[in-house]
Amino acid sequence: MIPFIPPELTDIIIRNCTSTFSLPSDDTAIDREARFTLLACSLVCRNWLPASRSNIFSQIKIQCTANDLSTFEYLISSRTCTFLNYVQKITIVIPETISDVVSSGLIENIMMFPGLQPACIRIYGGRHITSKRNVFMREQIRLSLAEAFTRVYRSRASSALPTNLTLSTLVFESSSDLTLFLRSFASITSLHLDDLSFMVHSPSPHMPPQQLEKLQLTGSQVVERTLMWLASFHRVSRPPVRELLVEGLREPREIALLVSFMAVNGGVLERVEVGFEEPEGCNWRWGEQELL
């Protein structure tokens, strides 16, 4: 009998600690009970520490305020900070009430910090705000984020750049503003647009990232506007979008747009998954020449 459990098995056990509880939503990391369990696992012995940390710190959330960003920068600058290599996803939360303007330089300093190389960035706007002041302040933060990430993508090696981007519950003036914002993330290959709102409808003259391979759409406004946006630029230049996931189809015009887009680009797509908003629920998938 072996006198110890192989590390491959302990890694699987620790990883499954998070799956024994409720699955996390898209805007949160692991839940409270799972975190306490993983913290206890990290104290068992030295061999359990790496696997425990990789699950604890794989996703982190930062409030996009000057105070929180400064505190986080101070934390990661400490000599005792050893968790940066485990971070795979960073969620940047734009708060509902904003009292100060966030410097793009502060965001850039964090994202350029040695050792911090997340594969996924999520920018989350929370609930939609109608206050004119908060709308203006959110717009300033969005501009700061765009300016900071533009410099990050220009300065860092491609191997150290995030390739997955999620934009959730944000308000854009138009699809043109969305496209301009996406141009700050030049190397993304996977894009998820979730519950975005547009104040006006206008076609975008700007091209989205040309490296885009996977696109996921959720939310009625997002589906309709993005499919129109995709159809317009695909006539000019076809980036290699291989996977298309659409959730929340409910209007006939949205279905017509999707069918029209697939009729033109079906030969390029390798996987399509569509979710309809129906009382009974209806989903179909198309991949590897099979309809499921």
Side-chain angles (χ1 to χ4, degrees), residues 103-123:
S103 166
S104 62
L106 183 57
I107 301 170
E108 181 184 2
N109 290 342
I110 292 175
M111 295 307 303
M112 290 290 291
F113 200 85
L116 184 62
Q117 298 181 7
C120 180
I121 298 293
R122 181 170 187 257
I123 301 176

Side-chain angles (χ1 to χ4, degrees), residues 28-289:
T28 60
I30 56 176
D31 62 27
R32 188 180 182 87
E33 289 183 71
R35 181 172 293 275
F36 283 147
T37 302
L38 290 171
L39 289 172
C41 290
S42 68
L43 298 175
V44 171
C45 65
R46 182 180 298 177
N47 291 336
W48 284 36
L49 185 59
S52 301
R53 281 189 167 185
S54 67
N55 286 276
I56 294 171
F57 297 111
S58 62
Q59 301 183 42
I60 60 175
K61 182 191 295 186
I62 308 172
Q63 291 283 335
C64 197
T65 64
N67 181 61
D68 284 27
L69 289 173
S70 298
T71 302
F72 184 73
E73 183 183 26
Y74 177 78
L75 171 65
I76 63 179
S77 301
S78 170
R79 293 182 179 179
T80 59
C81 178
T82 57
F83 67 84
L84 291 182
N85 291 334
Y86 300 109
V87 177
Q88 296 297 315
K89 177 180 180 180
I90 294 181
T91 297
I92 300 173
V93 180
I94 301 178
E96 297 177 11
T97 304
I98 305 167
S99 58
D100 50 5
V101 178
V102 177
S103 166
S104 62
L106 183 57
I107 301 170
E108 181 184 2
N109 290 342
I110 292 175
M111 295 307 303
M112 290 290 291
F113 200 85
L116 184 62
Q117 298 181 7
C120 180
I121 298 293
R122 181 170 187 257
I123 301 176
Y124 177 69
R127 290 180 294 181
H128 295 307
I129 304 298
T130 56
S131 166
K132 290 184 177 180
R133 182 181 184 280
N134 279 337
V135 169
F136 173 77
M137 294 297 288
R138 281 190 169 197
E139 176 68 16
Q140 296 305 305
I141 288 181
R142 192 156 53 82
L143 291 174
S144 295
L145 287 169
E147 184 179 347
F149 278 103
T150 297
R151 292 197 294 263
V152 169
Y153 274 84
R154 287 176 180 173
S155 304
R156 268 197 163 177
S158 58
S159 59
L161 291 172
T163 55
N164 299 338
L165 175 65
T166 298
L167 303 180
S168 182
T169 327
L170 296 174
V171 179
F172 289 90
E173 180 72 23
S174 64
S175 56
S176 181
D177 285 350
L178 169 62
T179 314
L180 287 173
F181 184 72
L182 291 176
R183 292 176 69 179
S184 302
F185 303 84
S187 300
I188 60 169
T189 58
S190 177
L191 174 63
H192 181 192
L193 304 179
D194 172 45
D195 196 22
L196 304 186
S197 294
F198 300 91
M199 300 178 68
V200 297
H201 171 64
S202 62
S204 174
H206 306 286
M207 304 289 277
Q210 292 296 296
Q211 295 83 7
L212 198 59
E213 297 178 0
K214 178 180 178 181
L215 181 63
Q216 182 175 356
L217 310 174
T218 52
S220 57
Q221 275 203 45
V222 177
V223 171
E224 181 179 357
R225 297 288 176 84
T226 307
L227 288 174
M228 295 176 66
W229 172 60
L230 281 171
S232 64
F233 80 77
H234 265 247
R235 295 191 190 100
V236 181
S237 174
R238 296 186 181 182
V241 177
R242 302 294 182 182
E243 297 185 48
L244 179 63
L245 289 76
V246 183
E247 299 178 24
L249 281 180
R250 58 183 177 182
E251 299 292 338
R253 63 178 181 273
E254 296 171 355
I255 300 174
L257 283 169
L258 177 62
V259 171
S260 176
F261 175 76
M262 290 179 57
V264 176
N265 304 280
V268 179
L269 295 169
E270 296 177 354
R271 179 190 176 206
V272 177
E273 183 173 336
V274 181
F276 297 91
E277 282 196 6
E278 295 289 342
E280 299 297 327
C282 176
N283 293 276
W284 59 266
R285 298 181 182 181
W286 170 43
E288 298 180 356
Q289 301 179 346

